[in-house]
Amino acid sequence: GGGDIGSAPTPTADAAGVLSIFSDAYTDLEGTNFNPFWDQAGSVSTDNGVLTYSNLNYQGTNLGSTDGDVTRDVSGYESVHVDFYSADAQTLKFFLVGAGETAYDLPVAANTWVSVDIPLTAFTGVDLTQVIQFKVDANPNSGVTVLFDNLYFHSADVTETGTDTGSDTGTVAAGELITNGTFETGDLSGWTVDATSA
């Protein structure tokens, strides 16, 4: 029921740096179980390219696995992207699970698609080399409907071309010795050396 909620924003992350779990914009990881039975109250639908949680209290997703027994190394990624929409959730916690779990409070706004990139460094209690699941926890913990789309891990948007010659000059405060400030010449040229016997 309800009005037309539109669709989630179209992702712009470069596919080369993406591990997609649920998105029409990328090739998703195969074998993900979007509705493992954890005695949760609600139901899950993946119709119309949207992951819909109805009557949500909590819900898990086993990444690339039916039983949640396959670990994924996501330590090479920078963040996890989430688009979500809800009319009635007051708070939503998004967990990453792997040899521990950590919740992240999603920035809930009613009746609009919200896009968030959660830095993986936020999940301090998780071993990023052994990630197995997402989990979502809602308050109120009954009657809530939440839609998700574009769930994916992604690397930093790479714009560096790897051709920096180390010739950045910049300005240096008086008295500072910075002619070889980044050691890019690989030696001590431009530095005043004291106590050479040390």
Side-chain angles (χ1 to χ4, degrees), residues 29-178:
L29 184 66
E30 291 185 9
T32 291
N33 185 353
F34 292 101
N35 193 20
F37 186 64
W38 293 356
D39 292 318
Q40 71 273 33
S43 58
V44 177
S45 162
T46 55
D47 296 340
N48 305 316
V50 178
L51 183 62
T52 302
Y53 292 168
S54 303
N55 192 31
L56 174 65
N57 59 341
Y58 59 88
Q59 178 65 46
T61 297
N62 290 335
L63 306 181
S65 161
T66 300
D67 301 322
D69 53 1
V70 177
T71 62
R72 300 273 155 196
D73 182 350
V74 299
S75 61
Y77 296 94
E78 184 177 68
S79 55
V80 59
H81 180 93
V82 180
D83 289 335
F84 66 97
Y85 180 105
S86 183
D88 41 25
Q90 292 171 11
T91 64
L92 280 172
K93 292 183 182 297
F94 183 88
F95 295 75
L96 200 59
V97 182
E101 63 178 49
T102 300
Y104 182 88
D105 291 313
L106 293 176
V108 174
N111 301 303
T112 187
W113 281 100
V114 179
S115 295
V116 59
D117 288 293
I118 308 168
L120 294 185
T121 53
F123 298 104
T124 52
V126 177
D127 183 341
L128 295 176
T129 68
Q130 299 186 52
V131 169
I132 57 171
Q133 291 159 338
F134 292 151
K135 185 174 79 175
V136 175
D137 198 325
N139 182 47
N141 63 5
S142 66
V144 170
T145 300
V146 183
L147 281 58
F148 286 96
D149 202 351
N150 302 318
L151 297 169
Y152 59 86
F153 297 92
H154 65 107
S155 311
D157 289 330
V158 179
T159 52
E160 291 288 332
T161 57
T163 56
D164 190 337
T165 59
S167 58
D168 303 329
T169 52
T171 55
V172 179
E176 297 292 331
L177 297 172
I178 278 290

